[in-house]
Amino acid sequence: RGLTAAAAYALGKVTVYTVAGALIIVLGLQLQAAAIPVVVTARKLLGPLMIVVGLVMLGWLPLRTRFGQRLAVRLAGRLPTAGLGGAFLLGVVFSLAFCPTLFWLFFGLTIPLALQAAAGWTFPGLFAVGTVVPLLGAAAAVSAGFGVAEALGGRMGRLQRVVGKVAGVIFILAGVNDTLTYWFL
């Protein structure tokens, strides 16, 4: 039952990310067709943006803002939370509450890359799936039993810190590479 609710929540997130991403991609492609160099500009911004995201992930640049969090909390208090419909609606609402890292990763990395790729229309949905994989894993652990969830809970915090630091370094290196490539070559 917990896995089904987590899947409904995931579907809500995928729906919002896919619709928002599709609208932005269509707008970007329309601007590009009108000879406005969206891709060139996005590529020039992508390198420095990846450096900023990497610094945030390393904790060297603290960002305290939460995009849409107030709206999400207000909507979550008014929506029914019972059943699969409630789980789906919570997924929709909480996808509006971008944390700063997800905001930059989605609008600064996923969308510019989607504008360049032939199958870019799939990127927002895949991004959303990636954001809910940890939730689905936690739901599976809880469904397996409290002992499994408790054991995994302690390890997940340590793993998240290590993976976050490694990802931050990778983002900084990729950002430096993109900056050098698109600004100076």
Side-chain angles (χ1 to χ4, degrees):
R1 197 172 183 159
L3 284 174
T4 318
Y9 175 86
L11 183 61
K13 284 191 78 149
V14 169
T15 300
V16 169
Y17 277 96
T18 301
V19 169
L23 292 173
I24 294 168
I25 290 169
V26 166
L27 176 65
L29 292 175
Q30 294 298 321
L31 290 174
Q32 192 170 326
I36 298 174
V38 175
V39 173
V40 173
T41 304
R43 288 307 299 202
K44 283 191 171 191
L45 294 174
L46 189 58
L49 194 57
M50 284 195 294
I51 293 170
V52 169
V53 169
L55 292 172
V56 170
M57 293 177 92
L58 289 172
W60 296 349
L61 181 65
L63 292 177
R64 306 248 186 266
T65 58
R66 302 274 187 229
F67 301 100
Q69 188 173 18
R70 205 175 304 154
L71 171 66
V73 169
R74 190 177 323 135
L75 287 174
R78 295 180 183 185
L79 293 175
T81 57
L84 296 179
F88 175 83
L89 290 174
L90 281 176
V92 167
V93 168
F94 286 134
S95 65
L96 299 173
F98 283 104
C99 72
T101 304
L102 281 181
F103 180 85
W104 294 117
L105 289 175
F106 186 72
F107 291 106
L109 182 64
T110 304
I111 297 299
L113 292 174
L115 286 169
Q116 293 180 327
W121 58 272
T122 62
F123 289 13
L126 292 172
F127 179 87
V129 169
T131 65
V132 296
V133 166
L135 170 73
L136 295 175
V142 168
S143 295
F146 183 71
V148 173
E150 187 177 82
L152 285 176
R155 293 186 198 135
M156 293 304 271
R158 289 188 297 273
L159 179 64
Q160 187 272 335
R161 284 189 295 275
V162 171
V163 169
K165 301 293 182 197
V166 170
V169 169
I170 290 170
F171 268 95
I172 290 171
L173 293 174
V176 167
N177 179 54
D178 261 24
T179 301
L180 292 174
T181 300
Y182 291 100
W183 281 85
F184 300 111
L185 295 180

